[in-house]
Amino acid sequence: MQKSLHIDPNKCTGCLQCEMACSYENYGAFNISKSRIKVFNFESAGRKVPYTCTQCAEAWCMHACPVDAIRIDAATGAKVVFEGTCVGCKVCTIACPFGTINYVADSGKVQKCDLCGGQPACAEACPTGAITYVESDWTGLGKMRQWAEKTDTQPRA
Amino acid sequence: MAWAKKILRVNLSKGTCASEPLNMEWAQQYLGQRGLATKYLVAETDPKVDPLSPDNKLIMTTGPLTGTMASTGGRYSVVTKGPLTGAIACSNSGGYFGAELKMAGWDMIIFEGKSPKPVYLWLENDKAELRDASHLWGTTTWHTEETIKAAHQDPQIRIASIGRAGENGVLYACVVNDLHRAAGRSGVGAVMGSKNLKAVAVRGTVGVGNVRDFKAFLQATTAAKKVLADNAVTGQGLPKFGTQVLMNVINEVGALPTRNANDVQFEGARKISAEAMHEKRPTDGKANLITNAACFGCTIACGRVSQVDKTHWSVVNNPKYWGATGGLEYENAWSLGAANGVDDLEALTVANMICNEDGMDPITFGATVGAVMEMYQMGVLKKEQIGIESPFGSAQALLEMAHMTAEGRGFGKELALGSARLTKKYGHPELSMTVKGQEFPAYDPRGIQGMGLTYATSNRGACHLRSYTVASEILGVPVKTDPLATDGKPDLVKAFQDATAAFDSSGTCIFTTFAWTLGDLAPQLDAACEGGWTLERLAEVGERIWNMERQYNLAAGLTAKDDDLPKRLKTEPAKTGPAKGMVSGIDKMIPEYYKVRGWTTEGVPTKDTMKRLGL
């Protein structure tokens, strides 16, 4: 069974626990500037939206990479950057339509979400359930359930 | 250790920025943030200094848990000598600025001197420079944030700034960060303005990496987060209703100071409550409240995000107030509303926006308006003087006064003085609801006796956030005490004051203490910092900080006479509610409090007390 990160912006409060968890997992420091998941604050609309790589099946970044530094983790389906192979050409950052693979000036390599090997730190840290790690086939299950509840099939009195 | 071990010293007179190591010996004695910055202020300045002179210093300071995964670990404080009170000023704020400062690699910034022209500090990790802010002077905090972010082409910069109130010397101007979070009380923004310092803009990409034992830290912070989630107040009440959950509760117990404390219950409380913020407006079918929001690292998320009715008379011609923004907290809904008898939720939300936009403390501002309205009712102040008819309950007068104070025009220059100076000027000092020159907040000491002692003895002037005995007296946390009794309150107040001083020095938020005790904080600090941090040690650090602040105030010229409440609370009984017929028993509690504190009958810490605390 493959799992995906599922994001529900309505539940996000903007606490950035996910960004701290991500940066600690990957860099050993609470450093939100290095987080692979970002929470965007749409101030005048009063909305906060976490955003990260969705692990496309036919990943643009992977196909664009000239040195095959981005490979599929067979266990999780994550597209993973192999830093030892990455030459920092940034072609993947152009190819990705979503902006979720980024260059890191400090290392001269790119970084993206790798699902933490199947235990995403962001989902574990999220206090409100805005970020969950669920079965890929059923990321829409919660929403379906909400709409199902609204479906009126009861006979009228 | 979670300290960055580095402080930035900015000499505004000379235009220099220099790095120096944090005094780690002091860090072991005073922890961080409130305690540690106060230690620096005490060591480096004359307590008798004019707060608005270049010789006063202004310190922006984080705690060891700021910028970590500890819940609410995003706090910073602004410490200085306050112009409203002439006492120690220490104002705490959330948002994201504090964490960014820590992630840039700094524990604190000490500002000294006065810049010859308006400047802002640009801080990018270890690169610090003062930049010209002439183009920002005379503009709001909102405009300042937007302009600086655009100039640096970086939306991720975090900014703390003053608005026009701070520039104009409004004695209760605050420092606003992230648009609507504020180091709110005692006029710290006026000190910043007096130094010609418009803003501090920070970008931090170093991070906080030196946690002592990460595994233990994660265990401790995860356990502490569960305590918050499982608690009815921090897990449910605050996220859903915010601090506004208190409006109806406090009104019902008869402790909601109304119309400049003439009454203790407000007939319009329901209309300005958390419940009202959730209800759909008849005008546009939308609720005032959009959602809740968290500060950095906070798993409570009590913040309010509101959007006013675009057709409301106060904003109909002013689209800049139409977007979502910081909504009403309990203190502001009270100070702008009940304290003046105003029950228009939309108008209060707008008044609150003006306070954020131009950086002024809504508590002192609102309470000052209350005193002005009472003087207007008495005929002491006339429409011609104020510029508008100002009876209790007038939302129009409230908003006009907010604008004129923020912009520094007309009668606004007098409102800028705060109620103590203003009422004295017009011959009615008894109408000022203040202690040490600072207005008391939203709990009437006639109905919650412990808060009377809290206000009277608060080192920064009347304040609820120095010993929030409401938790015990009304909510039963950690134990229920009788709000109408004075017995036992000196002990209760001391315990709350000491614990609060420790929390305020850690980098976490005092609202955690609805669920946490020092016993929940200690393991988190101990895992993060070297030195062996226990509950007992934190209580002692808290007591040490409290006594250090007291010493500073005494050296500044304050005396036991300043530990007193306005006459009204001692002589005019509550007219309605459970406390009907009661006045504050402050005179009975003070001598006992001094004894509990180990102070003389004159309120001076004894030599033994000082020695015991290593002062």
Side-chain angles (χ1 to χ4, degrees):
Chain A
M1 183 183 75
Q2 193 171 306
K3 293 175 102 178
S4 292
L5 282 174
H6 177 56
I7 290 171
D8 181 352
N10 282 329
K11 291 183 180 166
C12 179
T13 62
C15 74
L16 308 190
Q17 286 282 346
C18 56
E19 296 196 19
M20 280 188 282
C22 178
S23 62
Y24 203 94
E25 179 76 20
N26 293 297
Y27 294 92
F30 301 120
N31 186 354
I32 56 173
S33 71
K34 295 280 200 291
S35 175
R36 297 162 184 189
I37 185 164
K38 299 300 287 180
V39 177
F40 292 90
N41 186 358
F42 299 95
E43 196 71 49
S44 66
R47 295 184 68 226
K48 297 185 166 73
V49 184
Y51 202 80
T52 189
C53 174
T54 54
Q55 315 293 348
C56 314
E58 290 288 326
W60 279 271
C61 61
M62 191 169 68
H63 288 300
C65 181
V67 294
D68 287 335
I70 302 171
R71 301 167 211 164
I72 300 176
D73 179 329
T76 63
K79 314 303 174 293
V80 180
V81 176
F82 282 73
E83 281 208 359
T85 314
C86 174
V87 293
C89 73
K90 312 183 198 71
V91 170
C92 56
T93 67
I94 300 168
C96 174
F98 308 107
T100 51
I101 185 162
N102 284 283
Y103 183 66
V104 182
D106 290 353
S107 63
K109 314 285 182 185
V110 296
Q111 69 162 5
K112 69 180 286 298
C113 171
D114 60 4
L115 296 177
C116 299
Q119 275 190 303
C122 56
E124 281 182 20
C126 179
T128 64
I131 306 166
T132 48
Y133 193 49
V134 302
E135 208 180 322
S136 296
D137 291 354
W138 289 107
T139 53
L141 196 65
K143 267 187 217 166
M144 279 172 82
R145 188 189 166 83
Q146 276 175 19
W147 285 105
E149 197 178 8
K150 289 180 186 168
T151 305
D152 183 4
T153 55
Q154 297 304 307
R156 305 273 173 213
Chain B
M1 305 136 285
W3 294 282
K5 291 185 166 184
K6 220 169 68 172
I7 67 178
L8 179 67
R9 189 176 293 276
V10 178
N11 188 311
L12 292 158
S13 302
K14 296 179 191 157
T16 56
C17 303
S19 168
E20 60 186 69
L22 184 72
N23 186 323
M24 291 310 293
E25 199 183 313
W26 288 355
Q28 287 295 327
Q29 291 169 316
Y30 299 94
L31 190 53
Q33 205 174 347
R34 172 174 162 188
L36 193 51
T38 305
K39 177 64 184 170
Y40 271 92
L41 189 79
V42 166
E44 296 187 7
T45 62
D46 177 357
K48 291 211 165 12
V49 70
D50 171 359
L52 298 178
S53 76
D55 292 336
N56 192 11
K57 298 192 184 187
L58 180 101
I59 306 177
M60 289 186 176
T61 171
T62 65
L65 296 183
T66 307
T68 73
M69 272 178 89
S71 186
T72 76
R75 310 297 299 188
Y76 81 103
S77 292
V78 182
V79 176
T80 186
K81 184 177 180 183
L84 188 68
T85 55
I88 190 81
C90 171
S91 296
N92 184 308
S93 181
Y96 301 92
F97 175 82
E100 195 75 19
L101 177 59
K102 187 73 170 292
M103 288 189 178
W106 303 95
D107 290 306
M108 62 172 85
I109 311 172
I110 301 177
F111 293 99
E112 45 195 39
K114 176 186 179 175
S115 171
K117 60 180 176 58
V119 289
Y120 71 94
L121 176 69
W122 166 234
L123 189 55
E124 188 179 19
N125 297 330
D126 53 5
K127 194 179 82 190
E129 61 185 62
L130 291 167
R131 295 204 173 184
D132 178 47
S134 308
H135 61 300
L136 300 169
W137 206 254
T139 71
T140 66
T141 64
W142 294 356
H143 177 268
T144 299
E145 280 212 17
E146 192 183 340
T147 308
I148 291 177
K149 284 178 182 179
H152 291 268
Q153 294 185 311
D154 187 351
Q156 300 184 91
I157 292 170
R158 302 292 184 185
I159 293 158
S161 67
I162 55 166
R164 289 174 293 182
E167 297 174 9
N168 295 335
V170 175
L171 291 178
Y172 45 89
C174 46
V175 177
V176 173
N177 58 281
D178 304 291
L179 302 177
H180 40 241
R181 308 306 313 181
R185 302 220 69 193
S186 312
V188 294
V191 175
M192 192 161 151
S194 75
K195 298 189 171 309
N196 268 333
L197 178 64
K198 179 67 179 174
V200 179
V202 186
R203 182 78 172 109
T205 61
V206 177
V208 179
N210 45 359
V211 170
R212 187 181 68 81
D213 178 345
F214 182 71
K215 207 175 152 203
F217 184 69
L218 205 61
Q219 263 173 8
T221 52
T222 303
K225 282 171 190 166
K226 189 167 184 307
V227 173
L228 294 176
D230 292 345
N231 180 279
V233 179
T234 51
Q236 295 151 37
L238 284 175
K240 179 158 189 211
F241 294 116
T243 51
Q244 270 274 64
V245 70
L246 289 163
M247 183 62 76
N248 287 321
V249 175
I250 300 299
N251 192 44
E252 273 163 34
V253 302
L256 189 69
T258 300
R259 288 175 285 268
N260 204 33
N262 276 292
D263 297 291
V264 296
Q265 289 184 307
F266 181 39
E267 64 286 356
R270 176 75 185 69
K271 291 170 75 178
I272 61 171
S273 67
E275 290 79 358
M277 289 170 74
H278 274 276
E279 280 161 16
K280 284 180 180 161
R281 294 179 286 240
T283 43
D284 64 355
K286 292 176 184 161
N288 174 283
L289 184 78
I290 296 180
T291 184
N292 65 328
C295 294
F296 182 94
C298 176
T299 57
I300 303 173
C302 75
R304 303 291 91 184
V305 180
S306 281
Q307 194 161 14
V308 293
D309 174 5
K310 293 173 186 141
T311 65
H312 188 263
W313 55 265
S314 61
V315 295
V316 68
N317 294 318
N318 211 341
K320 83 169 163 172
Y321 296 127
W322 290 358
T325 186
L328 288 169
E329 312 289 344
Y330 170 61
E331 298 301 331
N332 310 357
W334 163 79
S335 65
L336 301 166
N340 310 312
V342 178
D343 64 4
D344 181 338
L345 183 68
E346 300 300 304
L348 298 187
T349 308
V350 176
N352 190 48
M353 275 198 256
I354 296 167
C355 287
N356 286 337
E357 187 187 18
D358 264 310
M360 50 189 194
D361 169 18
I363 298 181
T364 284
F365 167 72
T368 300
V369 170
V372 167
M373 285 181 169
E374 183 161 3
M375 286 194 286
Y376 176 86
Q377 302 272 62
M378 291 163 67
V380 176
L381 283 171
K382 307 263 189 274
K383 181 192 165 191
E384 295 69 37
Q385 286 164 290
I386 305 172
I388 185 169
E389 288 179 18
S390 306
F392 279 127
S394 171
Q396 284 82 359
L398 171 74
L399 282 171
E400 177 55 21
M401 286 194 238
H403 281 297
M404 64 170 77
T405 308
E407 293 158 21
R409 61 176 159 83
F411 191 72
K413 288 182 194 140
E414 311 226 4
L415 285 158
L417 300 171
S419 70
R421 289 169 177 82
L422 193 152
T423 55
K424 195 174 167 198
K425 183 172 173 182
Y426 290 98
H428 287 277
E430 78 282 2
L431 298 182
S432 172
M433 296 301 123
T434 51
V435 175
K436 300 181 178 67
Q438 177 158 286
E439 287 70 9
F440 67 74
Y443 312 88
D444 197 299
R446 289 168 291 198
I448 307 177
Q449 293 288 333
M451 290 310 280
L453 187 58
T454 288
Y455 298 160
T457 60
S458 161
N459 285 327
R460 69 165 181 175
C463 171
H464 57 300
L465 293 171
R466 286 300 176 268
S467 46
Y468 193 71
T469 58
V470 176
S472 166
E473 298 177 273
I474 304 299
L475 304 172
V477 177
V479 284
K480 182 77 174 81
T481 53
D482 179 1
L484 302 180
T486 53
D487 287 351
K489 294 300 160 64
D491 284 295
L492 186 73
V493 165
K494 176 187 180 290
F496 269 80
Q497 286 173 337
D498 293 348
T500 301
F503 271 94
D504 285 349
S505 302
S506 71
T508 62
C509 175
I510 194 61
F511 287 2
T512 57
T513 59
F514 286 113
W516 289 357
T517 66
L518 286 177
D520 296 285
L521 181 63
Q524 302 183 74
L525 274 170
D526 191 51
C529 306
E530 67 180 3
W533 294 90
T534 60
L535 184 161
E536 294 75 20
R537 188 165 168 215
L538 285 172
E540 190 190 277
V541 166
E543 189 178 5
R544 181 179 297 131
I545 293 166
W546 191 266
N547 280 274
M548 170 175 62
E549 292 173 342
R550 177 72 178 183
Q551 282 288 99
Y552 179 89
N553 283 352
L554 294 172
L558 277 73
T559 67
K561 284 196 189 74
D562 297 297
D563 299 337
D564 203 2
L565 294 178
K567 203 171 118 203
R568 174 164 284 170
L569 303 176
K570 302 201 290 180
T571 58
E572 298 177 25
K575 292 172 191 155
T576 60
K580 187 175 175 181
M582 288 196 67
V583 294
S584 166
I586 187 64
D587 294 335
K588 210 175 130 203
M589 290 186 281
I590 284 282
E592 179 65 22
Y593 172 81
Y594 286 172
K595 207 186 289 172
V596 168
R597 272 270 168 229
W599 295 353
T600 68
T601 51
E602 296 302 306
V604 179
T606 61
K607 280 203 177 111
D608 283 352
T609 300
M610 298 296 276
K611 200 177 153 197
R612 179 170 60 80
L613 296 168
L615 287 163

